[in-house]
Amino acid sequence: MQEQIVENKKSIDWFTESRFGMFIHWGLYAAIGKSEWTMYGQKIPVKEYEKIAATFNPKRFNAKEWVSVAKEAGMKYIVITAKHHDGFAMFKSETEPFNIVDSTPFERDPLKELAEECAIQGLKLCFYYSHVIDWHHPHSIHEHCNNTWDYQLEEKSFYNYWNRLVKPQITELLTQYGPIGIIWFDTAGGLSKKDSEEIVQLVKKYQPDCLINSRVSHWPNFGDYQSKGDNEIPMYGEGTKAWETPMTLNKSWGYNEQDDNYKTTESIIRKMVTIFSKGGNLLLNVGPTSLGEIPIPSVEKLKEIGAWMNENGEAVYGTKESPFPYEFDWGAITVKGKKVYLHIQNNKWSTGSIRINGFKSKVKKVYLLSEPHLNVPFEQNSVEFVGLYNLHLNLQNEPPSEFISVVVVELEGEL
Ligand code: H79
């Protein structure tokens, strides 16, 4: 076990330093336009669902555009659904013809195109793979979410599914697309400990540097990092263990034509800095259409987030979990080396009298991240006998950045 931790250190360091990734939910369900659980919700028979493939032709798919949208948003990795619960492979699979190359008029392999483009633009490509739920396959078994409308439980033989579909497809994904950053598993309900271990071994056999999220198993202590619940922002971080929150921009993962419940850019950035201050990553989702386009409102949000990240990236990438109490009424704190970054919400800015207690060293200077030459006046006093310092800031100007403005507190020594 110890060896594996050492072996993964480089990848974990890459992961935590990156902080921000793009989740892409894209599959046949985009053509129905009601998100990725529709086959289950409407009990669509496999034979009916398969017919969607004949009409699925995402002509406007452009890997370069997608990767550029992610990169310009400040994202460092992309996790795309190689196969979701509907069982449809979004890649050329020799194992199973129910895939985008062999059963649609599109006939291209978008994962191959994304792999090439990610290599060019310097992002890491990662694959979501639904290893337990598969409504298309007669022999997949999930404790809650079986396809009960086509298949009878008593006829099932799980290893038929596991050995003849799951393992070969994961092998394809790890051998034909270059280095993969993460295999992102989901909904492992009912998977045995032995089978969970087997799938971990399989991934590490082909790509020892590839990370696995904790949802690979419902058993404890699986995976290289902790996947939080969908849209969950935890009260606390995980100490030294890496973690990640998958989050939607609106309320859906897969494309949903009726869902315009977008979070505001400001609220997304607030959630981001809260997550970063607790040492976590954010995997922010888009659900492209059946034509292969990321919805315009999503692109617009990501552009605004990108402008913020471009200005404030120093206070995000490579920061560590903050040793200060996590959430303040004015915002959140990230830390790196001798610098403490105060992410101050704009509505608290001009009224902002901010007090932070408990610095271990003296404050050297305080300045705006966006305008480093502008010093922010501060007062500090030491707490007698304890060796700690308190800091008091009075912010009476206009906030310098949109949404959240970052003030850098530079210390003389360690935190
Ligand atoms: O891929 C996205 C979701 O499809 C997946 N995880 C994220 C990343 C996910 N799988 N399961 N769940 C989320 C939760 C399942 C909730 C359910 Fe239901 C409650 C399944 C059945 C009852 C609500 C009603 C959702 C489908 C029917």
Side-chain angles (χ1 to χ4, degrees):
M1 210 57 205
Q2 195 62 31
E3 259 173 47
Q4 191 177 334
I5 291 167
V6 174
E7 192 177 28
N8 286 340
K9 191 179 179 308
K10 200 168 58 138
S11 304
I12 291 285
D13 285 349
W14 158 76
F15 178 77
T16 52
E17 278 161 25
S18 300
R19 277 287 178 262
F20 191 28
M22 174 182 271
F23 213 171
I24 304 179
H25 275 71
W26 197 41
L28 282 187
Y29 39 84
I32 309 175
K34 292 184 174 53
S35 215
E36 74 285 356
W37 274 77
T38 310
M39 183 180 180
Y40 180 88
Q42 298 185 3
K43 303 203 182 320
I44 302 175
V46 164
K47 287 279 165 274
E48 285 300 308
Y49 197 83
E50 282 178 343
K51 287 183 189 158
I52 302 168
T55 68
F56 191 72
N57 196 0
K59 286 181 188 147
R60 301 210 186 123
F61 168 73
N62 182 328
K64 191 174 174 181
E65 275 172 27
W66 286 17
V67 177
S68 300
V69 169
K71 187 169 182 162
E72 282 162 26
M75 294 157 157
K76 303 289 190 193
Y77 57 105
I78 292 177
V79 183
I80 183 163
T81 47
K83 186 195 88 167
H84 204 270
H85 307 337
D86 64 354
F88 185 72
M90 291 296 282
F91 59 101
K92 165 72 182 162
S93 174
E94 296 295 341
T95 316
E96 165 59 64
F98 191 48
N99 72 68
I100 190 163
V101 177
D102 294 324
S103 62
T104 77
F106 188 55
E107 291 182 344
R108 281 157 55 190
D109 181 342
L111 302 198
K112 191 132 260 170
E113 294 177 29
L114 282 168
E116 286 163 11
E117 192 56 38
C118 280
I120 292 169
Q121 297 203 38
L123 276 78
K124 277 204 186 177
L125 186 63
C126 313
F127 294 136
Y128 174 109
Y129 187 88
S130 177
H131 61 320
V132 180
I133 299 181
D134 187 320
W135 303 314
H136 182 263
H137 199 284
H139 297 294
S140 74
I141 300 173
H142 185 275
E143 56 188 3
H144 304 300
C145 306
N146 276 308
N147 178 340
T148 50
W149 55 98
D150 284 289
Y151 308 124
Q152 301 304 310
L153 198 57
E154 55 274 16
E155 294 164 5
K156 291 194 179 228
S157 107
F158 176 70
Y159 289 105
N160 184 319
Y161 166 67
W162 188 248
N163 291 326
R164 295 193 203 165
L165 184 78
V166 176
K167 288 177 359 194
Q169 282 197 329
I170 289 175
T171 304
E172 290 175 332
L173 290 169
L174 288 165
T175 53
Q176 293 176 15
Y177 298 89
I180 300 306
I182 306 165
I183 300 282
W184 213 99
F185 293 103
D186 202 7
T187 51
L191 193 67
S192 74
K193 210 169 177 175
K194 173 180 130 316
D195 294 332
S196 311
E197 272 157 10
E198 189 185 31
I199 214 74
V200 170
Q201 294 307 322
L202 182 74
V203 174
K204 300 293 174 183
K205 175 174 131 190
Y206 289 109
Q207 295 207 22
D209 292 337
C210 180
L211 297 174
I212 296 173
N213 68 332
S214 58
R215 292 194 193 182
V216 67
S217 183
H218 271 201
W219 297 89
N221 302 321
F222 268 89
D224 299 303
Y225 72 87
Q226 191 64 32
S227 266
K228 294 294 166 189
D230 295 349
N231 290 300
E232 180 198 358
I233 300 184
M235 292 279 281
Y236 304 103
E238 291 273 325
T240 52
K241 185 155 186 175
W243 61 274
E244 174 187 61
T245 291
M247 187 179 285
T248 51
L249 277 169
N250 47 12
K251 290 192 173 166
S252 314
W253 300 96
Y255 176 64
N256 184 341
E257 62 197 2
Q258 289 163 335
D259 184 354
D260 51 12
N261 299 295
Y262 277 85
K263 299 172 178 77
T264 63
T265 304
E266 180 158 32
S267 80
I268 297 165
I269 295 177
R270 280 191 195 181
K271 289 177 204 296
M272 287 168 70
V273 300
T274 308
I275 289 170
F276 301 150
S277 76
K278 298 174 185 186
N281 281 29
L282 174 64
L283 186 60
L284 192 57
N285 183 72
V286 297
T289 66
S290 61
L291 279 176
E293 291 177 307
I294 301 176
I296 290 165
S298 300
V299 173
E300 283 171 355
K301 298 274 159 203
L302 293 177
K303 279 202 174 126
E304 292 182 333
I305 292 167
W308 188 87
M309 287 292 282
N310 192 32
E311 194 168 81
N312 300 294
E314 187 198 311
V316 174
Y317 305 117
T319 55
K320 300 267 179 289
E321 180 176 338
S322 160
F324 295 96
Y326 293 123
E327 284 171 55
F328 298 85
D329 65 349
W330 47 262
I333 292 182
T334 56
V335 298
K336 180 158 66 183
K338 293 177 182 173
K339 288 179 181 165
V340 178
Y341 301 97
L342 314 181
H343 299 254
I344 303 170
Q345 290 160 20
N346 278 1
N347 60 341
K348 306 281 175 186
W349 187 266
S350 37
T351 54
S353 172
I354 289 176
R355 195 175 281 283
I356 305 164
N357 300 331
F359 289 102
K360 285 198 192 119
S361 19
K362 245 180 152 168
V363 175
K364 197 160 133 194
K365 60 175 174 171
V366 182
Y367 58 92
L368 297 174
L369 184 55
S370 59
E371 294 166 78
H373 54 281
L374 279 186
N375 283 336
V376 174
F378 65 94
E379 292 164 31
Q380 68 180 327
N381 41 52
S382 61
V383 187
E384 257 183 289
F385 309 121
V386 189
L388 295 175
Y389 294 87
N390 297 336
L391 175 71
H392 181 231
L393 299 179
N394 237 330
L395 302 167
Q396 278 150 352
N397 332 23
E398 285 300 303
S401 306
E402 220 183 341
F403 310 119
I404 283 187
S405 300
V406 179
V407 166
V408 187
V409 178
E410 202 176 311
L411 304 176
E412 283 182 358
E414 292 306 314
L415 278 169

